[in-house]
Amino acid sequence: MSALRSGQVAAVAGANPQTLRYYERRGLLAAPDRSLGGHRLYPAETVTVLRVIKAAQRLGFTLDEVAELLDTGPHRHPRHADVSLRVRAQAKLVEVEAKIADLRGIADTLRAAVRAGCNDLVECADQPRCPIPFATHTAEAFTRP
């Protein structure tokens, strides 16, 4: 199999043909050759690139970050170790761990709200037992110059 049509690539990679065209526009996939009938003909390695893109997205990388990884990765530019997957993965791990910490705090607050019996946000905000961290504003704070 040297060249695959859009539908074939999409089916094998678990994507859809619109995704292929979108990734082409974003520069994630090279524009494919065309058949005499005008059909896109992708090289077989496009399936691997699509799988890499999807896996990177599941790991939290944005499409812009994926594009950088694909463009500057050691498979294309061996001298760019500073933008390697390892470096990017370490940075993404720090970002994900910070999000996890935030989500744990949110979950703890929601559990406390359930235990406190908060049924109405406005009513709860006026109660000292309310665990939801409403910002406290006074009329004085809005009238200061």
Side-chain angles (χ1 to χ4, degrees):
M1 241 191 261
S2 60
L4 303 169
R5 289 177 56 171
S6 299
Q8 293 170 309
V9 171
V12 173
N16 63 55
Q18 292 80 15
T19 301
L20 295 176
R21 289 190 288 281
Y22 178 69
Y23 288 170
E24 282 176 42
R25 287 192 305 273
R26 293 284 309 256
L28 296 165
L29 294 177
D33 292 332
R34 298 278 183 154
S35 70
L36 293 175
H39 297 285
R40 288 175 164 84
L41 297 175
Y42 293 91
E45 55 271 4
T46 303
V47 172
T48 301
V49 174
L50 272 173
R51 287 178 175 161
V52 166
I53 293 168
K54 291 298 189 185
Q57 284 183 296
R58 283 191 303 275
L59 293 173
F61 289 98
T62 65
L63 285 179
D64 288 339
E65 291 168 331
V66 173
E68 289 175 12
L69 285 169
L70 290 172
D71 188 47
T72 59
H75 68 281
R76 289 196 184 165
H77 305 284
R79 295 183 190 164
H80 290 157
D82 60 324
V83 291
S84 70
L85 175 59
R86 181 182 304 156
V87 171
R88 297 293 176 117
Q90 287 171 335
K92 186 57 68 178
L93 180 59
V94 168
E95 186 181 310
V96 167
E97 287 174 341
K99 286 180 184 179
I100 290 169
D102 287 344
L103 288 172
R104 283 190 178 124
I106 291 168
D108 291 345
T109 300
L110 291 171
R111 280 188 205 96
V114 169
R115 282 192 304 271
C118 296
N119 289 319
D120 181 289
L121 283 178
V122 174
E123 186 180 303
C124 187
D126 287 335
Q127 303 299 316
R129 72 181 185 349
C130 183
I132 298 174
F134 294 104
T136 49
H137 299 287
T138 62
E140 181 182 310
F142 294 108
T143 58
R144 287 188 201 146

